[in-house]
Amino acid sequence: MRTLRRPRRPRRPRRPRRPRRPRRPPVVPTAPDTDGAGARLKAGSYGVLGGFTTMVANAGGPVMSLYLLSAGFRKLGFLGTSAWFFLIVNVAKVPFSVGLGLIDGRSLLLDALLALFVVPGAFIGKACVDRINQKLFERLVIAATVLGGLQLLLR
């Protein structure tokens, strides 16, 4: 006895495969390799300028942002380095600020009140930085630097 076979379906043509992209090495959030006298001179110049502007006008942020971007720092390295730099600089400024009468009981009370907003701001910032890619981060830093510099010039 003869068995009935189903008719064959015509085969679909296969799509050509896309070439695979080469894998990139993982990005490590550290400072770039800066060797040589030119790199040390650049770093020293930005450091002096950043320290001077933060003491005189409390405006070292734009200078340090430009330095850290030009040095090639990634997001986390950028944020960590700027946080440590300004912590050290601002702690060093305390005796001078007290001597000039800029820090007194009233200003410390205002500082304590504003400190309540630091912790939520840190959590919000951490959540945001994880969602922003490096290129957008650099553009936002440059835009904020330009706006901050313009505000300092126009005041």
Side-chain angles (χ1 to χ4, degrees), residues 50-60 89 92-94 96-97 100 102:
F52 175 77
T53 55
T54 195
M55 185 60 197
V56 171
N58 205 22
V89 167
K93 286 175 19 179
V94 168
F96 300 106
S97 298
L100 292 170
L102 298 174

Side-chain angles (χ1 to χ4, degrees), residues 28-151:
V28 180
T30 59
D33 188 17
T34 54
D35 288 338
R40 285 192 297 270
L41 178 65
K42 178 178 143 185
S45 300
Y46 272 111
V48 168
L49 188 59
F52 175 77
T53 55
T54 195
M55 185 60 197
V56 171
N58 205 22
V63 174
M64 289 308 296
S65 293
L66 291 177
Y67 166 68
L68 295 173
L69 283 180
S70 71
F73 279 77
R74 306 291 294 166
K75 287 185 301 188
L76 297 178
F78 179 99
L79 295 171
T81 303
S82 62
W84 275 106
F85 175 80
F86 286 110
L87 173 72
I88 293 167
V89 167
N90 288 331
V91 167
K93 286 175 19 179
V94 168
F96 300 106
S97 298
V98 170
L100 292 170
L102 298 174
I103 297 177
D104 58 7
R106 193 167 171 223
S107 68
L108 289 175
L109 186 61
L110 178 62
D111 292 340
L113 179 66
L114 293 175
L116 297 173
F117 296 96
V118 171
V119 174
F123 283 111
I124 292 169
K126 172 100 174 83
C128 290
V129 79
D130 291 338
R131 290 184 171 91
I132 297 174
N133 68 24
Q134 183 68 30
K135 193 167 198 158
L136 177 61
F137 177 80
E138 290 172 4
R139 288 180 179 168
L140 290 172
V141 168
I142 290 171
T145 300
V146 168
L147 289 174
L150 285 174
Q151 181 187 16

Side-chain angles (χ1 to χ4, degrees), residues 9-25:
R9 287 190 221 165
R11 288 187 177 177
R12 285 191 239 161
R14 290 188 180 183
R15 287 188 232 162
R17 288 188 175 181
R18 286 192 267 176
R20 287 188 172 190
R21 294 181 190 169
R23 289 190 176 191
R24 294 181 186 172

